Amino acid sequence: MKKITNNASTGKIAMILNAVFFVTLIVAMITLLNFDKENVQLVSQTPHFEEATHGLQEAKQPMRGDSINIAYYTHKVDSLKSVPTPKDKKEAKALQEDLQRYQDILVEKEQQKSVTDSIVAEYEKTYLPLKEEYDQLTQTVEQKHKTFVLCLVLAIVLLVARIAFFAIWNYKNSQNLHAISHWMKYGSKPYWAWLGWGIPILHLVKPFSFFSEVWDETDYVLKDKAIVSKEQDSESDFLLGMWWGLWLICILLCTYILFATFFMNGPMYYKFGHRSVAIITLVIWALYLLIDTQTIRKYNKMNKQLVENESKLVSE
């Protein structure tokens, strides 16, 4: 018979990572709310800023036409001035009249440009401070967003590490069962402790079914070998159901609601209380992590009973 192992230390590491992850999650939520405080101001100011930008652009539109007209009539005036004065009085008079007409038009265009420039200058008096404030706010939002992303990445790394240690722990527990129970060859192979978390779609079901199998088979062995009373209720159905249900709520529902509330600028952004969503998310994660920790502790106790009674666990 293969020797079974006490895997409590691996489970304890997973429990410690739960606590560290939750602390990091709290920090991430705080940075998210700090980001959101500035982002709400940015979102509320954006329509006013865009309207002001559009007004300035409309005010500046005539400037290009004014510049083209002034350049054109300046060229005409210069051209006429460079023409030698005709000897014929009528031709000289006609040239002088053309020159005067273009000079008058040039003066008119310059006055028109002056009016346009003054209108633009008035727009810029109010627009430039608004733009400076808006740009500063945008920069602040970007900086706070980067801080939040950094905290979020750290939290995700810790969560992945916690899943990895949970998988190692589950893998070792499954190996124990395969070593002492010949019927386990018809069950899930130990490597599913890893694969169950990594295959899309399947990862929504397999980790739960795999751990349930390990738990139920361990409970069966303990009762079959009279290590614990057969009347003793392991409470596995309720506990594991809560454990996996809360996990799916945290990963799927809470993640979507957080994203929609803080980043999508849709109905949830305007109708949901942002602080309340963050607090509720933390409460749900706290419940999940508490139940997860309790689940690991309960199974570690079962694993300890297996190890202490190894002599009774003889493969058939």
Side-chain angles (χ1 to χ4, degrees):
M1 179 186 71
K2 296 179 182 179
K3 184 178 180 180
I4 61 176
T5 58
N6 187 336
N7 306 318
S9 59
T10 308
K12 288 177 181 178
I13 293 175
M15 289 190 287
I16 292 171
L17 285 172
N18 277 348
V20 177
F21 163 74
F22 187 65
V23 171
T24 308
L25 186 63
I26 292 175
V27 174
M29 286 298 175
I30 292 173
T31 59
L32 176 61
L33 289 173
N34 288 337
F35 154 78
D36 184 64
K37 181 180 178 181
E38 304 295 337
N39 189 55
V40 166
Q41 295 183 34
L42 181 64
V43 171
S44 64
Q45 289 186 20
T46 296
H48 178 55
F49 175 73
E50 290 178 345
E51 182 181 352
T53 302
H54 181 68
L56 181 61
Q57 289 173 346
E58 285 190 336
K60 283 185 173 182
Q61 281 182 356
M63 294 179 71
R64 179 176 174 81
D66 291 344
S67 298
I68 293 173
N69 287 333
I70 289 174
Y72 173 77
Y73 287 108
T74 299
H75 175 71
K76 292 292 292 184
V77 169
D78 292 341
S79 298
L80 290 173
K81 284 182 178 180
S82 65
V83 175
T85 303
K87 294 180 179 181
D88 183 78
K89 292 183 178 181
K90 289 184 178 181
E91 291 181 359
K93 183 179 179 181
L95 177 63
Q96 189 61 35
E97 288 176 351
D98 285 343
L99 178 59
Q100 186 61 49
R101 180 165 57 86
Y102 281 115
Q103 285 178 332
D104 292 343
I105 294 175
L106 178 59
V107 170
E108 180 184 339
K109 295 301 180 184
E110 287 175 341
Q111 290 175 345
Q112 184 176 335
K113 183 178 184 301
S114 178
V115 171
T116 301
D117 289 346
S118 64
I119 293 173
V120 171
E122 287 298 319
Y123 266 99
E124 288 181 338
K125 282 182 182 179
T126 56
Y127 176 78
L128 292 179
L130 178 64
K131 184 178 185 302
E132 183 179 353
E133 180 183 354
Y134 186 82
D135 289 344
Q136 181 62 42
L137 184 57
T138 301
Q139 185 178 359
T140 302
V141 168
E142 289 175 353
Q143 291 173 346
K144 290 185 178 294
H145 182 262
K146 287 179 181 178
T147 303
F148 162 67
V149 170
L150 181 63
C151 293
L152 179 62
V153 168
L154 179 59
I156 291 173
V157 169
L158 288 170
L159 182 61
V160 171
R162 176 263 168 202
I163 291 174
F165 274 95
F166 184 86
I168 293 170
W169 178 70
N170 234 355
Y171 176 83
K172 291 180 177 180
N173 293 333
S174 180
Q175 280 188 318
N176 281 348
L177 290 173
H178 279 267
I180 62 177
S181 304
H182 69 88
W183 62 83
M184 282 298 294
K185 64 184 178 181
Y186 301 109
S188 299
K189 301 298 181 184
Y191 56 73
W192 277 108
W194 292 96
L195 287 182
W197 291 97
I199 300 177
I201 306 300
L202 193 62
H203 75 287
L204 298 176
V205 178
K206 190 60 180 179
F208 168 72
S209 64
F210 183 88
F211 188 35
S212 294
E213 180 182 295
V214 170
W215 185 296
D216 291 341
E217 292 301 331
T218 304
D219 183 59
Y220 173 79
V221 170
L222 291 174
K223 291 177 179 178
D224 184 60
K225 301 300 180 179
I227 298 172
V228 299
S229 171
K230 291 186 177 181
E231 286 74 29
Q232 181 176 324
D233 186 7
S234 67
E235 301 177 349
S236 64
D237 291 342
F238 175 77
L239 186 63
L240 296 185
M242 284 287 293
W243 168 72
W244 194 248
L246 283 171
W247 167 257
L248 293 180
I249 290 173
C250 288
I251 292 298
L252 300 178
L253 186 60
C254 287
T255 300
Y256 172 75
I257 290 177
L258 275 175
F259 182 77
T261 300
F262 287 90
F263 297 103
M264 290 183 67
N265 200 22
M268 290 186 182
Y269 176 88
Y270 292 102
K271 293 184 179 181
F272 285 9
H274 293 196
R275 186 181 296 271
S276 298
V277 169
I279 292 173
I280 292 171
T281 298
L282 284 176
V283 170
I284 294 174
W285 267 106
L287 287 174
Y288 164 73
L289 293 170
L290 285 173
I291 291 178
D292 181 74
T293 300
Q294 181 66 8
T295 301
I296 295 174
R297 289 181 62 187
K298 279 182 173 291
Y299 189 85
N300 273 347
K301 183 178 179 181
M302 297 167 67
N303 178 235
K304 181 180 178 183
Q305 291 172 322
L306 288 179
V307 174
E308 290 175 346
N309 296 273
E310 185 177 352
S311 59
K312 298 180 181 180
L313 309 175
V314 181
S315 297
E316 299 177 7

